[in-house]
Amino acid sequence: VTTSLAEDLTRLVGDPAQVNDGESARRLHGDPYVGIERASLPDAVVYPTTTAEVSAIVAYAAQRSIAVTAYGAGTSAEGMTIPREGGITLNLTRLETIEVRPESLQATVGAGVTRSALNRAAGEHGLQFPVDPGADATLGGMTATNASGTTAVRYGAMRQNVLELEVVLADGTTVRTGSRTVKTSAGYNLTHLFVGSEGTLGVICSVTVRLYGIPEHVIAARAAFATLEAASACATALIAAGVSVQRVELLDAGTLAAMNAYKGLDVPLVPHLFLELAGTRESAEAELGEAREIAEASGVRGWETATAHAERRRLWEARHEVLFAMEHAHPGATCKGTDTCVPLGELPGAIAHSRRVMEEAGFPAYIIGHVGDGNYHAMFMVDPADGAQMARQKAAEAEIVHDCLARHGTSTGETGVGISKMGHVAAEHADLLPLMRAVKTMLDPSGILNPGKIFEP
Amino acid sequence: VTTSLAEDLTRLVGDPAQVNDGESARRLHGDPYVGIERASLPDAVVYPTTTAEVSAIVAYAAQRSIAVTAYGAGTSAEGMTIPREGGITLNLTRLETIEVRPESLQATVGAGVTRSALNRAAGEHGLQFPVDPGADATLGGMTATNASGTTAVRYGAMRQNVLELEVVLADGTTVRTGSRTVKTSAGYNLTHLFVGSEGTLGVICSVTVRLYGIPEHVIAARAAFATLEAASACATALIAAGVSVQRVELLDAGTLAAMNAYKGLDVPLVPHLFLELAGTRESAEAELGEAREIAEASGVRGWETATAHAERRRLWEARHEVLFAMEHAHPGATCKGTDTCVPLGELPGAIAHSRRVMEEAGFPAYIIGHVGDGNYHAMFMVDPADGAQMARQKAAEAEIVHDCLARHGTSTGETGVGISKMGHVAAEHADLLPLMRAVKTMLDPSGILNPGKIFEP
């Protein structure tokens, strides 16, 4: 007798409610990211509730050479979770245990725990997990892509915040990497090989992360500049001076116009830095004073601060919803952004170059960025159905990435490679590709883990 | 005709002055760390001046299966540079280029550049490289062991500060990993696989690191406590509150007695935290005020601050020379320290346990540590010639490490594995050892790079 994949999976996890090979569940886990490729659907979706179940499923898949794709909140911007070879999609959202150890400033969570759920649990102890990519992603997904976002300038990316991992390897074996300490030099650093490996080297089931005290006092400030270049130069001056900003975001005039319209704000339509400073009241105000001095020296034209919670929240909510604002301003269009990141000294030049390329290609030059890290996004509004426009976008993006790499930058600062940035990574790390392939072969000899991502096999 | 190793090496590097197979040079590069093993000497020492020369030497060694050991300042505490299989020792101190890019807050340096040389070059731009393991190690060596030290609580270990590496692989190929940006998600993170690999996976020839502004105002404080446990609990409270200390060091009464005697100080003989706060005058004073409040709440018995440069320098110089002070207090004895690191909440318990073990084994319970990171050193004063004492030390150390691992800690927070901690790492990462061995085989199939380190082959 032959059994179906769904029957086999049900046998492994015990409960038929944990397996779904219906059309709608498969579509939900196979929806393509716009512009990448046509949908590839998994043959079945399974919802394991323990690491042991993940292990059993991966061991089963290994024996039969079935592709296995890990899936969290589905918020990847680069097509990481598209099951290009079908097979099994592991929906990990039921790995949802949260253990907060406040006295050690850390938490161990299941891969399916979302950022907001972790922050609710940590908040009960006056603690926070500050890494903030915008989307309410899962900790497993954030780890697998080395996510970061607006607060990386102070707290670092996932790489700086992951201490220990529980990983199911391609043969179903479970290992624990790292330790629950902020430092370790005990042998090869496998933890940070899995961080950013996008589900291609192992399935991350549990993550131990650092937590931080919630600052008692937070001040938001917005600083207006005559040019994007002046604003980005001010950001680098703030970092150089060691001002302890916890966010420093660049927004251009066009983005602000879209944001004002979408959120009912009235931010003046010139390039801005949005800043956030935090600490005790005394230290935050001391840092604010220094930030203001540096902004003055950088030719700031306007300076507004907000300490009231509601006011701050309104400003940063607007920043977080900027993609929706852009799409709202361009009905029918979709946003396709670069994720280039350059050395700080190269930022003003890189941004000026990106603007020029976007304008010459006939796109509004929306540019936003986590500029304290040199990371910025050139945001193209495109109609995926317009082939000629998509070709122009692709050429302009390639030109921006080429310029960034010439400045010793990287083609992806935080969103990862997935499918859509494979070409860029091949250009960025041509000499490393053989080594990356050797790592993949070592850890996943049959190539079952999230095949067709990061680089061509 | 057959040629000698020295003749072959001379042919590769061109200049006979770059090769030395004399007894004294060989001894200088083979001196054993006390208590580890008898000296193993290299067959020849070569002093390459470029990455291309390193590449040629490694390719030559690969063809003949000759062991290659990278050597920097020779300050390893764990025997990393002992050439257990003889062969070629690569003295990298002539890889000494320094390129500071102040506008990007980074520098690219040859592996042989020392921490002090880099700080001199960075200092001309008002910048510093703050990672400070005490010894004036080379950047290559610090990278290869993921060194850290007193300032890691603020600036992180090498892992958090290395952006890009140039590495010669085991077949002589040269690759560049990472990019000159503070963030990247472009494929597998090979940079941080080489960081901490102790010369066993490749020869690091060039390192790009982050730099930081030299704070305009620094305040040192020393806080006295009734017990070691109270002092360590205060350190964890400071970190939990997010006080921006740049050093927080624990010293016990015995260590202070040795230090007072050695340096002519008069620090009261009770457990202390030495703190350093830095920033603008306003922000450093704000942080100091908060630190003092937390110390009061933790039962501090005495509190002294120093802002004058000479006074601060004297205090930290004493901290840096603490090993010499201990050896001075125990003529003929040598210091052998653990490098255990635990989650912050476990620190008071771990320290109490270590003290008890040391006292029961008949040793003075010297304990110092970078307690803001949970990293502490139980310092045994031993006579390497006294076999019974060495056996007692070994048993006590094993007991301390066992307790640390039960607390989800690590057997080495910063000094690395080398030869002397191989047993501990085998206990700590039993499930990972097959993977670590696979990584080694993948990158160094003939096992020529620094053989016999980190784990048994």
Side-chain angles (χ1 to χ4, degrees), chain A residues 338-340 342 347 350-351 354 367-370 374-378 400:
Chain A
T338 69
D339 183 32
T340 36
V342 293
L347 188 62
I351 285 180
S354 292
I367 292 188
I368 59 174
H370 318 309
N375 188 198
Y376 67 98
H377 307 291
I400 289 171

Side-chain angles (χ1 to χ4, degrees), chain A residues 15-318:
Chain A
D15 181 353
Q18 287 175 244
V19 179
N20 196 333
D21 63 354
E23 176 83 5
S24 102
R26 291 171 56 225
R27 286 218 168 275
L28 195 65
H29 292 80
D31 267 356
Y33 184 75
V34 63
I36 290 178
E37 64 177 303
R38 288 200 341 226
S40 307
L41 302 190
D43 297 310
V45 181
V46 57
Y47 300 79
T49 57
T50 62
T51 299
E53 288 179 2
V54 174
S55 167
I57 296 162
V58 174
Y60 163 87
Q63 281 157 16
R64 289 157 185 78
S65 292
I66 299 172
V68 175
T69 303
Y71 189 100
T75 56
S76 154
E78 313 293 356
M80 273 92 168
T81 60
I82 295 176
R84 297 183 84 174
E85 299 185 6
I88 300 165
T89 284
L90 280 173
N91 182 311
L92 300 175
T93 53
R94 297 188 196 174
L95 296 181
E96 52 191 341
T97 55
I98 302 180
E99 184 195 336
V100 177
R101 293 183 296 279
E103 69 293 350
S104 291
L105 301 174
Q106 55 185 234
T108 299
V109 302
V113 170
T114 59
R115 183 167 76 74
S116 63
L118 172 56
N119 273 310
R120 276 192 302 276
E124 290 175 21
H125 305 277
L127 300 173
Q128 60 168 339
F129 179 70
V131 180
D132 178 3
D136 193 17
T138 61
L139 271 290
M142 289 169 69
T143 303
T145 55
N146 185 31
S148 47
T150 52
T151 59
V153 66
R154 169 121 165 211
Y155 297 102
M158 288 304 285
R159 185 161 291 150
Q160 281 80 38
N161 288 286
V162 170
L163 304 178
E164 188 185 66
L165 293 175
E166 188 181 53
V167 182
V168 171
L169 302 178
D171 63 356
T173 312
T174 303
V175 294
R176 182 188 62 80
T177 71
S179 67
R180 294 184 181 173
T181 55
V182 297
K183 308 192 306 190
T184 175
S185 289
Y188 300 153
N189 179 3
L190 299 172
T191 304
H192 294 95
L193 186 61
F194 288 110
V195 173
S197 66
E198 303 187 5
T200 66
L201 300 181
V203 178
I204 295 167
C205 291
S206 159
V207 186
T208 296
V209 292
R210 301 181 75 156
L211 300 176
Y212 300 84
I214 298 175
E216 88 185 37
H217 192 70
V218 180
I219 308 171
R222 57 177 217 227
F225 294 86
T227 62
L228 266 188
E229 292 71 22
S232 75
C234 177
T236 68
L238 288 167
I239 304 303
V243 178
S244 180
V245 287
Q246 75 172 13
R247 305 181 201 254
V248 49
E249 293 287 303
L250 179 73
L251 294 114
D252 67 8
T255 304
L256 289 167
M259 217 170 85
N260 282 347
Y262 186 66
K263 297 291 289 183
L265 296 169
D266 57 355
V267 181
L269 298 182
V270 292
H272 270 75
L273 290 181
F274 280 20
L275 304 170
E276 200 170 70
L277 302 116
T280 59
R281 178 179 295 275
E282 293 70 25
S283 69
E285 280 173 0
E287 298 285 342
L288 180 73
E290 204 195 348
R292 174 115 197 217
E293 268 178 41
I294 290 166
E296 300 283 356
S298 306
V300 70
R301 301 289 182 93
W303 178 270
E304 301 277 340
T305 59
T307 50
H309 183 73
E311 205 181 344
R312 280 195 293 110
R313 195 185 166 88
R314 194 146 156 262
L315 207 63
W316 286 103
E317 198 180 271

Side-chain angles (χ1 to χ4, degrees), chain B residues 237-250:
Chain B
L238 288 167
I239 304 302
V243 178
S244 181
V245 286
Q246 75 172 13
R247 304 182 202 253
V248 49
E249 294 286 305
L250 178 74

